[in-house]
Amino acid sequence: MRPAILLLIVVLFTLGSCSRSIEKKREQSIDDTLKIKQKISVDSVRLLPEMIEIEKEYLYNQYTLSDVYPYKDTTRMFQWDKIRTRLVQLELLRNEKNVTWGILQNYKNLNGEAPLVNSYKYDEYHQVTDTFGVIQSQSVPLYFPSRPDIAERYGRDGLLVKLVGDSVDFAKITLVGFSGKWLVPQQYLKLISDTVVFNKAVFVDRTNQNIATLEKVGSKWLVRSMNPATTGLHRPPFERETPVGLFVIQGKQYRMFYYESGTKEIGGFAPYASRFTKGAYIHGVPVNEPDSVLIEFSPTLGTTPHSHMCVRNATSHARFVYDWATEEETLVFVFD
């Protein structure tokens, strides 16, 4: 056989083989894509908010509110649709395997005041904030992995994060509820025990001024309490609103002493205080100096924001949360 004819046969055979190989890979790619879509579809069905099982089984049953209840000339409610959506998010966290969770921490700037971010401004309180409105004080600097020389934004104290990488100076993390990866200096990150399963959650509704506690038992989320609350008031130059987000209960104080607005003088204390971000606590009715007797209830609870970033409760309910909510294992969702 002539060399030219032999070469032509080899070329045609090779092209045919390549064509069949490409077609086979294409079919495999389509098949893999369909499998992924089917898996996503199945997972989505499993995690629809309406599929979350919620049942009322109170551990605290004083001042208990109904799902819908009267308020002045209208009604207020527990926004179970929003609570269910957040429980879906929580179930996704609980189902993740081989994950190292952490908490961003810089209470009272104990780990050092965060440096200025790349783009900042001043808010109504004349404090430095990033473009998302998170103030510099008591926050944590976050850096793009490609640019660890200047902070891009601030992370709130108390935010739950996932560790995805580590080095001597920085930890690489993802923020729960936010996209992208970030670098955080090691001193601002507190790692959580790998035995934590997040089976307790507190839901604070700023719009309806109420609070609910839920606990995962078996396949159900059990409602442990449904109560009136009072959140933070946005009123410069001193009072701040309770920030929206997902936080972790980080510490507790039997009596959390507070200053008179704008001073360094003790104004009184709030009993049974559970801290979740910066100086924001879930606590009982404040007691002003020089009094020391606990106050059980305040007529302002469940009405309009009055507090200084904190979430005010009936004192007995604050004590329930104080005793029931495990530190670094209980999540706090604040929403409108």
Side-chain angles (χ1 to χ4, degrees), residues 228-245:
T230 298
T231 60
L233 173 65
H234 181 89
R235 186 170 64 186
F238 304 118
E239 292 91 344
R240 275 192 178 271
E241 65 272 30
T242 308
V244 168

Side-chain angles (χ1 to χ4, degrees), residues 52-105:
I52 298 290
E53 292 185 83
I54 297 177
E55 187 175 295
K56 292 174 183 175
E57 191 172 300
Y58 300 121
L59 293 179
Y60 175 91
N61 199 10
Q62 296 184 56
Y63 320 110
T64 302
L65 298 171
S66 303
D67 292 333
V68 179
Y69 53 93
Y71 177 73
K72 294 185 176 180
D73 58 350
T74 182
T75 58
R76 282 187 170 173
M77 68 184 71
F78 283 84
Q79 300 187 75
W80 290 111
D81 56 338
K82 293 184 179 181
I83 292 175
R84 286 179 181 277
T85 298
R86 284 156 180 79
L87 285 176
V88 168
Q89 181 184 11
L90 181 46
E91 288 287 7
L92 289 172
L93 299 180
R94 285 166 47 84
N95 290 336
E96 291 205 46
K97 306 298 182 184
N98 302 316
V99 173
T100 300
W101 298 107
I103 309 171
L104 297 185
Q105 291 190 328

Side-chain angles (χ1 to χ4, degrees), residues 142-155:
L142 300 176
Y143 301 77
F144 283 140
S146 60
R147 191 177 181 186
D149 58 323
I150 184 167
E152 185 64 26
R153 63 177 294 182
Y154 296 123

Side-chain angles (χ1 to χ4, degrees), residues 303-321:
T303 59
T304 58
H306 283 274
S307 191
H308 289 234
M309 194 185 293
C310 293
V311 181
R312 191 179 302 177
N313 292 238
T315 295
S316 58
H317 186 258
R319 181 174 184 175
F320 161 72
V321 174

Side-chain angles (χ1 to χ4, degrees), residues 37-327:
K37 286 183 177 180
Q38 287 169 359
K39 184 179 185 301
I40 291 172
S41 178
V42 170
D43 289 344
S44 298
V45 169
R46 288 177 184 167
L47 294 173
L48 286 175
E50 56 266 30
M51 301 300 291
I52 298 290
E53 292 185 83
I54 297 177
E55 187 175 295
K56 292 174 183 175
E57 191 172 300
Y58 300 121
L59 293 179
Y60 175 91
N61 199 10
Q62 296 184 56
Y63 320 110
T64 302
L65 298 171
S66 303
D67 292 333
V68 179
Y69 53 93
Y71 177 73
K72 294 185 176 180
D73 58 350
T74 182
T75 58
R76 282 187 170 173
M77 68 184 71
F78 283 84
Q79 300 187 75
W80 290 111
D81 56 338
K82 293 184 179 181
I83 292 175
R84 286 179 181 277
T85 298
R86 284 156 180 79
L87 285 176
V88 168
Q89 181 184 11
L90 181 46
E91 288 287 7
L92 289 172
L93 299 180
R94 285 166 47 84
N95 290 336
E96 291 205 46
K97 306 298 182 184
N98 302 316
V99 173
T100 300
W101 298 107
I103 309 171
L104 297 185
Q105 291 190 328
N106 198 22
Y107 180 48
K108 294 184 177 180
N109 291 327
L110 291 178
N111 295 317
E113 184 172 59
L116 286 175
V117 290
N118 185 35
S119 180
Y120 64 89
K121 59 183 179 180
Y122 290 90
D123 64 7
E124 298 172 85
Y125 297 80
H126 305 292
Q127 291 188 305
V128 172
T129 77
D130 63 15
T131 55
F132 297 90
V134 180
I135 67 172
Q136 176 186 27
S137 180
Q138 299 191 65
S139 289
V140 172
L142 300 176
Y143 301 77
F144 283 140
S146 60
R147 191 177 181 186
D149 58 323
I150 184 167
E152 185 64 26
R153 63 177 294 182
Y154 296 123
R156 295 188 189 276
D157 170 86
L159 285 183
L160 179 68
V161 301
K162 183 197 301 184
L163 182 69
V164 295
D166 221 355
S167 67
V168 174
D169 298 321
F170 290 95
K172 183 179 287 188
I173 62 169
T174 58
L175 303 174
V176 175
F178 297 86
S179 61
K181 293 182 175 64
W182 301 89
L183 295 182
V184 57
Q186 292 281 5
Q187 71 265 29
Y188 296 102
L189 179 64
K190 169 69 179 297
L191 297 182
I192 302 176
S193 168
D194 58 8
T195 61
V196 171
V197 293
F198 301 124
N199 59 4
K200 294 180 180 179
V202 180
F203 297 86
V204 177
D205 184 338
R206 300 196 311 181
T207 298
N208 291 280
Q209 294 290 284
N210 59 42
I211 182 171
T213 60
L214 282 83
E215 181 174 1
K216 184 68 179 288
V217 178
S219 63
K220 298 178 180 178
W221 283 94
L222 301 182
V223 181
R224 296 313 199 182
S225 64
M226 295 170 59
N227 280 80
T230 298
T231 60
L233 173 65
H234 181 89
R235 186 170 64 186
F238 304 118
E239 292 91 344
R240 275 192 178 271
E241 65 272 30
T242 308
V244 168
L246 167 58
F247 307 98
V248 184
I249 288 186
Q250 304 175 69
K252 299 177 182 180
Q253 294 185 40
Y254 169 66
R255 291 188 175 189
M256 185 272 291
F257 289 91
Y258 57 84
Y259 295 129
E260 289 282 1
S261 295
T263 75
K264 291 295 182 180
E265 296 183 6
I266 298 296
F269 69 89
Y272 302 111
S274 302
R275 190 176 72 85
F276 59 96
T277 182
K278 298 187 178 181
Y281 292 78
I282 298 169
H283 63 65
V285 179
V287 177
N288 295 324
E289 291 283 6
D291 295 336
S292 59
V293 178
L294 297 184
I295 303 168
E296 167 61 5
F297 197 84
S298 168
T300 60
L301 291 175
T303 59
T304 58
H306 283 274
S307 191
H308 289 234
M309 194 185 293
C310 293
V311 181
R312 191 179 302 177
N313 292 238
T315 295
S316 58
H317 186 258
R319 181 174 184 175
F320 161 72
V321 174
Y322 183 91
D323 292 336
W324 169 82
T326 311
E327 289 184 37

